[in-house]
Structure formats: structure tokens, C-alpha cells
């Protein structure tokens, strides 16, 4: 029986440190927490409640949607639309922004989210997660448009993820370090279990989808070749490799024991005219905020991800993040 700090207590205590805080932000975070608990419950029940498998539809990016992509998107909208803290929301699963319906008051924040990242893993019972980011609504908040969301990641007020793994966890930053909470299913509360998470600066573990190797750019190929060469190669050490195909699980591993995660741009993507695989607003920016706040680094290879000025809601970027020494090395190879 854990008698520790609940996430609600933690958020309220953080709020007290901010002079003039109204409690809006605290309340918004609580609604996000509730949405993640509902999603955790659904993911956990899986086929018992008939939520696995494909929905037979495609999202704006032309990807086949799972039933759970659609259901969890709806859970997030319903949990967060009513309380009056938000002006609009945007999600990986919706073509356009979702304006808060007229029957509810509107507030000063914007919410972006990927309700179930790595959802191709649900059918095979592998960890998945929810990623979210909170921005301030610029200017008047009555009727925000898509442009209101196009802020660089440095403007994020808070970001985090819920990981639905052997335990359900919530990892959160409000720009003052990173803290991890574990869901105690019996009492229905997230409890602070991982205070002040920090990423070790050096690592001997990398994560990349190696099936794309023949399409990679030279700097990424060089980095991975050197890792694979192990103790006999230029690095003089053996490396380990992981690929879960679930970014939340991947980032969580890196927060726990270090590592580098890469989903770089490659020739195949360039030919299709996309800037990468992962989405800036729903995946790359929130994860970069968490990683940087835990002492790690996050880059496209050529630029700090959080400084990329978005020009489209669903924009994609190359992602290289994790232990700072290794990310710096890959960035250095891009400069060579
Ligand atoms: P999704 O948002 O459609 O689930 O895609 C994002 C996921 C990431 O979690 C993961 O890192 C990546 O896609 C895996 O891609 P791949 O299947 O190419 O290895
Ligand atoms: Mg995703």
C-alpha cells in the first residue's frame, strides 16, 4: 500500500509556488489525468470490451485508424471540453482543430495530443501511450483558428505522456523538471514514484527502425555503423539495440536508463515530400520538452526540435533525442 503524494496533491503544491495562479491550469491537468485513466482502463480491458482491431477508416495523414484511435480521441475531447480552461484542441486523429462547443466557456489554453501513440501495438498487447502538450492561446480566445497552434515547442506550458505498460504511468513536466507517477489501480490515483527523473548523459543503447537503413542519410548511417562495429570499431565499445515501435515506451526507457532514439528523415520520406515520420505538434515537441527537462537533448539533426517554427498542424519532423552525449555526436555528424 503506497501512501505517497498523489498527482493532484503534487500539481496543487506546484501551483502554490506560482504567484497569481488561478487554478485553471491545475484543473486542466486534472482533466487530462482523468482522460488517461479512462484510456488506461480501456487499453487494459482490450478484447474483453471489443476495442481491438481496425476501424476501417483513415486519418488526415492517410494512416489506417484503429478502433482505439477513434475511441481514445473521443475520450480526450469529452474529458477536456467542458471545464472552461481551453479554447481549442488539436489531435493527430483529427483533420482540423476542435473548437470548444458553444455551450461551454472558453479558456486561455490550447491542448494538442496523440490519444494513443503506437496504436499498431495494441493488437499484439505491447505498451502504448498518450502524448499531450499545453500551449497558451495567443490573443483573444473566443474563436481560435489553426494558426493559434503554430507555436514553437519552446512556448509549451506543460507536456507529458501516459504509458500503458505493465504499470500505467504518467510522466509530466511544467518546465521545472520531470516527475513520474504510477497508477495505483486499487485506489484509482497516480502516485509520485519517480521524482526528478534525469537521463544519464552517456549511453550504449540506441533505438532506430533498422529496416529503413538503406534510405538513411549519411550522418545517421555513420552513427549506426559505428555502434554496430562495437568494441572493434571507432567507438571501442559494444552497443545494444532496441526498437519497440512505440515512442512513449521508447522515451520512457531513455528517461529510466538512458539511450538514444532516432526516427530520422530518409530518402523515401523526401521522395514523398514529408519532413519525417513523427509529428511535431503531437509527438516531437512534447517529448522534446520532457527529454530536455530531464537533462537530455532533442534535435532534428540540424536544429533543436523545440525551435522549429511550425507551418502546419500536422507537420512531420526528423527526431533524434535522448542522452546528450550521443545526440550531440549525431548532430556533429550532420555538421561534418
Ligand atoms: P502512430 O502515431 O501512428 O502510432 O505512429 C507513431 C509511432 C511511434 O510511436 C513509433 O516510434 C513509430 O511510429 C514506429 O514506426 P515504425 O512502425 O515505422 O517502426
Ligand atoms: Mg503518434
Amino acid at each position: 500500500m503506497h501512501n505517497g503524494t498523489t498527482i493532484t496533491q503534487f500539481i496543487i503544491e506546484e501551483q502554490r509556488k506560482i504567484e497569481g495562479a488561478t487554478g485553471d491550469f491545475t484543473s486542466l491537468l486534472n482533466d487530462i489525468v482523468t482522460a488517461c485513466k479512462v484510456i488506461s482502463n480501456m487499453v487494459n480491458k482490450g478484447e474483453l470490451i471489443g476495442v481491438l482491431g481496425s476501424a476501417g477508416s483513415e486519418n488526415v495523414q492517410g494512416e489506417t485508424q484503429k478502433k482505439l484511435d477513434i475511441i481514445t480521441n473521443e475520450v480526450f475531447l469529452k474529458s477536456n471540453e467542458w471545464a472552461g480552461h481551453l479554447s481549442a484542441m488539436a489531435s493527430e486523429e483529427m483533420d482540423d482543430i476542435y473548437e470548444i462547443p458553444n455551450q461551454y466557456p472558453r479558456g486561455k489554453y490550447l491542448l494538442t495530443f496523440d490519444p494513443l501513440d503506437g496504436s499498431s501495438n495494441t493488437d499484439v498487447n505491447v505498451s502504448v501511450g498518450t502524448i499531450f502538450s499545453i500551449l497558451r492561446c495567443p490573443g483573444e480566445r473566443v474563436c481560435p483558428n489553426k494558426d493559434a497552434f503554430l507555436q514553437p515547442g519552446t512556448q509549451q506550458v506543460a507536456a507529458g505522456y501516459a504509458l500503458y505498460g505493465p504499470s500505467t504511468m504518467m510522466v509530466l513536466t511544467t518546465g521545472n523538471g520531470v516527475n513520474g507517477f504510477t497508477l495505483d489501480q486499487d485506489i484509482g490515483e497516480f502516485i509520485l514514484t519517480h521524482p526528478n527523473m534525469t537521463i544519464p548523459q552517456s549511453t550504449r543503447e540506441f533505438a532506430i527502425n533498422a529496416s529503413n537503413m538503406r534510405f538513411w542519410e549519411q550522418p545517421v548511417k555513420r552513427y549506426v555503423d559505428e555502434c554496430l562495429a562495437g568494441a572493434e570499431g571507432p567507438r571501442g565499445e559494444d552497443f545494444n539495440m532496441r526498437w519497440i515501435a512505440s515512442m512513449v515506451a521508447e522515451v520512457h526507457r531513455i528517461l529510466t536508463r538512458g539511450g538514444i532514439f532516432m526516427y530520422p528523415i530518409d530518402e523515401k520520406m523526401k521522395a514523398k515530400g514529408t519532413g519525417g515520420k513523427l509529428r511535431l505538434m503531437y509527438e516531437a515537441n512534447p517529448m522534446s520538452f520532457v527529454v530536455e527537462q530531464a537533462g537530455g537533448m532533442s534535435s532534428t539533426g540540424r536544429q533543436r526540435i523545440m525551435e522549429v517554427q511550425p507551418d502546419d498542424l500536422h507537420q512531420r519532423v526528423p527526431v533524434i533525442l535522448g542522452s546528450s552525449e550521443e545526440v550531440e555526436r549525431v548532430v556533429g555528424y550532420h555538421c561534418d
Side-chain angles (χ1 to χ4, degrees):
M1 166 75 196
H2 208 297
N3 199 18
T5 306
T6 67
I7 196 165
T8 311
Q9 183 183 350
F10 180 88
I11 296 169
I12 289 174
E13 284 176 1
E14 286 288 294
Q15 181 204 315
R16 285 194 192 125
K17 294 180 196 157
I18 304 164
E19 212 177 310
T22 58
D24 268 17
F25 178 66
T26 303
S27 173
L28 168 58
L29 280 176
N30 270 323
D31 290 343
I32 292 172
V33 168
T34 304
C36 292
K37 283 189 210 168
V38 174
I39 294 173
S40 172
N41 188 39
M42 283 178 170
V43 168
N44 182 262
K45 293 241 162 50
E47 199 49 23
L48 290 174
I49 53 171
V51 293
L52 299 187
S54 169
S57 55
E58 284 188 352
N59 67 11
V60 63
Q61 359 240 336
E63 297 159 338
T64 307
Q65 289 178 303
K66 296 277 177 192
K67 283 185 209 161
L68 270 171
D69 286 323
I70 294 170
I71 299 168
T72 56
N73 191 66
E74 202 58 27
V75 167
F76 235 76
L77 294 178
K78 293 292 162 229
S79 297
N80 289 293
E81 69 179 2
W82 60 274
H85 315 307
L86 292 172
S87 260
M89 295 182 247
S91 148
E92 186 178 303
E93 302 302 335
M94 300 186 296
D95 298 9
D96 296 316
I97 66 165
Y98 180 87
E99 286 186 35
I100 298 302
N102 286 334
Q103 74 256 40
Y104 302 119
R106 290 186 177 185
K108 59 185 175 226
Y109 295 106
L110 301 171
L111 177 62
T112 73
F113 58 92
D114 180 353
L116 202 63
D117 183 64
S119 55
S120 65
N121 279 319
T122 50
D123 293 350
V124 291
N125 204 7
V126 168
S127 300
V128 288
T130 298
I131 310 172
F132 61 90
S133 160
I134 300 172
L135 293 162
R136 271 198 189 82
C137 191
E140 64 111 303
R141 61 182 99 135
V142 181
C143 196
N145 56 20
K146 195 176 79 167
D147 293 345
F149 285 86
L150 303 183
Q151 308 179 36
T154 48
Q155 299 299 310
Q156 292 172 102
V157 179
Y161 61 80
L163 172 63
Y164 313 114
S167 307
T168 290
M169 283 194 69
M170 173 79 87
V171 172
L172 184 67
T173 184
T174 54
N176 188 21
V178 178
N179 291 283
F181 304 82
T182 305
L183 182 62
D184 184 331
Q185 307 273 2
D186 294 333
I187 60 172
E189 285 279 10
F190 281 101
I191 306 291
L192 180 64
T193 46
H194 296 60
N196 295 319
M197 298 177 86
T198 47
I199 300 175
Q201 285 184 1
S202 61
T203 179
R204 294 292 168 259
E205 194 164 71
F206 67 101
I208 192 163
N209 184 340
S211 70
N212 298 318
M213 187 179 283
R214 66 192 185 283
F215 303 113
W216 292 340
E217 292 182 329
Q218 195 50 35
V220 171
K221 194 159 180 347
R222 173 180 169 194
Y223 177 79
V224 173
D225 281 348
E226 289 179 0
C227 293
L228 293 176
E232 291 77 39
R235 301 296 303 269
E237 282 184 272
D238 289 333
F239 278 72
N240 191 23
M241 200 196 83
R242 287 283 182 274
W243 188 249
I244 308 173
S246 186
M247 190 191 194
V248 178
E250 226 91 61
V251 168
H252 192 72
R253 184 186 63 249
I254 289 171
L255 276 169
T256 310
R257 68 178 190 209
I260 179 168
F261 167 91
M262 291 175 280
Y263 215 121
I265 188 158
D266 62 30
E267 296 305 330
K268 205 170 39 167
M269 295 168 189
K270 283 189 209 162
K272 278 197 216 151
T274 67
K277 151 123 196 198
L278 299 173
R279 274 114 320 195
L280 179 61
M281 307 301 291
Y282 317 112
E283 294 161 334
N285 266 342
M287 289 313 208
S288 298
F289 195 18
V290 169
V291 164
E292 285 196 11
Q293 283 294 316
M297 265 182 76
S298 178
S299 172
T300 64
R302 297 176 170 90
Q303 187 183 9
R304 182 181 171 212
I305 284 180
M306 290 212 291
E307 287 176 359
V308 173
Q309 173 60 50
D311 51 33
D312 182 66
L313 205 52
H314 298 291
Q315 179 171 341
R316 296 174 189 250
V317 284
V319 174
I320 298 162
L321 59 73
S323 295
S324 55
E325 281 179 13
E326 295 303 301
V327 177
E328 258 168 23
R329 177 180 283 271
V330 182
V331 170
Y333 289 179
H334 280 80
C335 297
D336 282 352

